[in-house]
Amino acid sequence: MIRFFLIFFLLLSFGNSTIRAEDGYRLWLRYEKIENAALRQAYLGRLSQIFMDGEGPILKTAAEELEAGLGTLLGKPIPATRVSGGTGGVIAGILGRSDVLGRLVSDEDARKITAEGFLLMSGPEHLIIAAKDARGVLYGAFHLMRLLQLRLPLDGLHIIENPKVKLRVLNHWDNLDRTVERGYAGFSIWNWHELPEYIGQQYIDYARANASIGINGAVVTNVNANALVFRPDYLEKAAALADVFRPYGIRIYLTARFSSPIELGGLPTADPLDPQVRQWWKNKADEIYRLIPDFGGFLVKANSEGQPGPREYGRSHAEGANMLADALAPHGGVLMWRAFVYSEEEPEDRAKQAYNEFVPLDGQFRENVLIQVKNGPIDFQPREPVHPLFGAMPQTPLMMEFQITKEYLGQGTHLVGLAKMYGEVLQTDTYARGKGSSVAKVVDGTLHGYQITGMAGVANIGTARNWTGHLFGQADWYAFGRLAWNPYLPAETIFKEWAELTFTHNPEAVATITDMLSSSYETCVNYMTPLGLHHIMAAGHHYGPGPWVSKMPRADWTSVYYHRADEEGLGFDRTETGSNALEQYTPDFRRQYADMDKCPHKFLLWFHHVPWGHVLSTGRTLWEELCLHYHQGAAEVGRLKKKWESIKEFIDKERYRQVSMHLEIQEKEARWWRDACLSYFRAFSEMEIPSGLEQPGHTLEYYRSLAYPYAPGIRPRW
Ligand code: GCV
């Protein structure tokens, strides 16, 4: 009897330890059963079975996803079969191949669907998912399930959705040793050591999650690249990942280290005009395509921050890029070449260098080259004006590079809804072709008629059980996918969707989460870098404030280079009297920022060196305004916490706790940012923090003395 109880007890405790509560692993794909029986019945009227018309790995995925997703949502098995002539249920497939769909979809609708797009249309007893290709069917399937997850009606449904951007790609800054540069969610999800044999479930779930938001490419290695990935055994590992991604419509890409012909091929040079070098790359591309027939192509960081490149041989970025593009072209691969370039010797304002390097090359790149441009001219700062290149390269496809991981926006512990920032950038008018030339129109190709278009997001994914470390980091991954599909989607729409898919259907809670995400971006800018300040974080790991950083191997890695605080004032003069970086923008764009008194405050110190006592349009001096912004930002985090607390009853325990703990850290760190920065700038302004505002709790020396050598995400070779 005792033995029986012992076994019973052991089983019970083992069972308990393996039953997981809501831990975030399921992301926005939770597919909880629809509680409302009448609604379930209404859905079942059209979704009682699935006719998947056609074959192939991606259609098979679509069928399986529908079967599993609808089955759980509707609480009843929904079997998928090949089309058998029936008319009820979901009828999904590729137009032109299916008689059934051909009869149900009008020519006019069929004409409107483009590559990877889909039609979702409801009839009396059926629901059609029609596309021109298999990916379109898969995206349509996920869209349908999103509608159900959002409890939206299917009556009279008639949606045509086409992706506005062709390459929707995650960039992983993941190293082969599993460290992640600027990664705050643990180690890399790619376990290269165990590949190709061991295929972790996370690879499959990663692919599903991406497909569900329309992401169709993944660069799995760091732009600070390692030539080893081109060694045959590593290529086999990459091929194994490609096999996992393929059924989800995702292509794999690799970063190409420009010096690979030397490091791996034993050649004496990597000169892009050298015939042997060109042949080496051609052979390497052929070898890759033999293993991975749908390989996407290469992403390259060249002549930047120590990475090798064509400039070492006196060749231009176009010559370097074109050599690699030529190797990929016969296989249909693309080359993504980064514009994040600044020279070691260049005394020029860093914000101007990429423009100077690339604009003269406009029109010189091969057709399969995209230039990948960060959203702003410096480096993913909390807020930057848009990169001047977006208004200046009409003949070269420019792809957007956003950072999803929060290197400069609170890393792994701050809640900051990045869709707000992405939207602000995408909606900015470049005036490249007169008013209405938004960055979104440049990126989606409508402004200049680019043939290929793309958007890249530096991933925030790691081995953390909830994928992103901070649970709300999932919202940034989700938002990136949704905006890459449609750069015009309002941030609030995305946040609302994510809140409901991820947490609850309670309208009050959804509204609160949407509000938290929407306001958090401005909040973070205020407590870190208000009024156009930038790059004033601690050196190396970029964790926490470091406006005093002045000694680094290069001046443009220091904070003092960017804020230029002196007894007179604060800010970087980028007008005619300073570096004149403003000149790189179109005249209409420039006009908004040239005059210190008219410049929008959010970019005031980006473009101007403003005297401390200068009275701004608010009636306050620069110093007072600065103090106010820092204080408002820190206070807002307190309000974020209160908002989260107000919806406690609607959130499951485990995830509620995770977010609460991170909000505590954020509040502490926001105050740290505020007090450290104001203590530092006060030494220049020689003015007091206005009475009525909380004074810093410590001396400037104390803030300067804080050191965090093991802050995560640091670049291994700094
Ligand atoms: C991948 C910044 C980051 C680096 C990053 C670089 C880049 O400098 O701090 O970690 O390197 O941008 O985008 O290449």
Side-chain angles (χ1 to χ4, degrees), residues 422-687:
Y422 301 158
E424 186 175 299
V425 171
L426 289 164
Q427 281 145 33
T428 299
D429 201 336
T430 65
Y431 297 92
R433 295 206 158 177
K435 199 168 161 42
S437 305
S438 66
V439 173
K441 284 190 185 169
V442 176
V443 172
D444 75 8
T446 50
L447 195 71
H448 301 305
Y450 298 154
Q451 288 311 299
I452 15 175
T453 54
M455 202 188 281
V458 180
N460 60 348
I461 299 159
T463 46
R465 174 74 191 162
N466 69 11
W467 300 91
T468 51
H470 196 305
L471 199 67
F472 273 64
Q474 296 180 0
D476 302 320
W477 177 9
Y478 182 83
F480 169 76
R482 300 289 284 135
L483 282 168
W485 180 276
N486 178 3
Y488 304 91
L489 268 183
E492 281 75 12
T493 308
I494 299 172
F495 291 149
K496 187 165 177 293
E497 266 178 30
W498 179 80
E500 193 162 350
L501 300 174
T502 306
F503 286 111
T504 169
H505 298 287
N506 177 277
E508 186 194 324
V510 169
T512 303
I513 295 168
T514 306
D515 177 48
M516 288 171 71
L517 280 161
S518 301
S519 61
S520 56
Y521 171 54
E522 203 62 46
T523 297
C524 175
V525 171
N526 279 338
Y527 64 70
M528 280 189 185
T529 53
L531 300 173
L533 283 172
H534 50 290
H535 218 302
I536 56 169
M537 26 292 294
H541 47 55
H542 299 153
Y543 167 66
W548 44 80
V549 173
S550 61
K551 285 192 193 70
M552 290 291 285
R554 320 172 36 121
D556 55 9
W557 285 353
T558 67
S559 304
V560 295
Y561 173 89
Y562 294 102
H563 64 62
R564 311 221 158 186
D566 54 23
E567 63 281 5
E568 223 182 85
L570 180 65
F572 197 135
D573 182 1
R574 292 194 166 104
T575 66
E576 278 175 355
T577 48
S579 79
N580 209 9
L582 203 46
E583 190 193 34
Q584 296 182 333
Y585 294 91
T586 51
D588 283 329
F589 184 96
R590 247 183 265 161
R591 247 190 292 284
Q592 307 167 81
Y593 303 99
D595 180 345
M596 190 189 289
D597 290 319
K598 295 201 183 118
C599 179
H601 289 174
K602 62 181 178 183
F603 292 128
L604 185 62
L605 303 175
W606 186 283
F607 287 118
H608 297 276
H609 189 72
V610 183
W612 293 110
H614 190 76
V615 179
L616 307 183
S617 56
T618 54
R620 286 182 282 269
T621 63
L622 170 67
W623 172 247
E624 288 165 345
E625 200 65 45
L626 191 73
C627 293
L628 198 70
H629 275 74
Y630 270 115
H631 276 266
Q632 269 172 355
E636 268 301 320
V637 183
R639 285 193 275 277
L640 269 185
K641 265 175 54 181
K642 292 229 155 48
K643 285 179 195 166
W644 185 243
E645 282 159 15
S646 76
I647 54 170
K648 183 172 182 184
E649 63 182 296
F650 305 112
I651 311 290
D652 50 281
K653 232 178 170 172
E654 189 171 341
R655 291 186 300 168
Y656 178 80
R657 217 175 128 252
Q658 278 186 28
V659 175
S660 300
M661 290 185 291
H662 275 143
L663 283 167
E664 289 294 335
I665 299 177
Q666 184 171 2
E667 189 176 40
K668 195 175 79 188
E669 293 188 353
R671 294 162 69 92
W672 171 32
W673 266 95
R674 176 194 74 188
D675 294 345
C677 291
L678 287 180
S679 301
Y680 174 77
F681 291 129
R682 179 167 58 179
F684 294 91
S685 76
E686 295 180 351
M687 293 171 177

Side-chain angles (χ1 to χ4, degrees), residues 173 181-182 223-224 301 305 338 340 374 379 407:
W173 285 357
E181 184 159 342
R182 313 312 181 185
V223 287
N224 289 330
K301 170 176 176 179
E305 301 186 333
R338 295 176 89 223
F340 179 68
K374 287 190 182 182
D379 188 13
E407 176 179 357

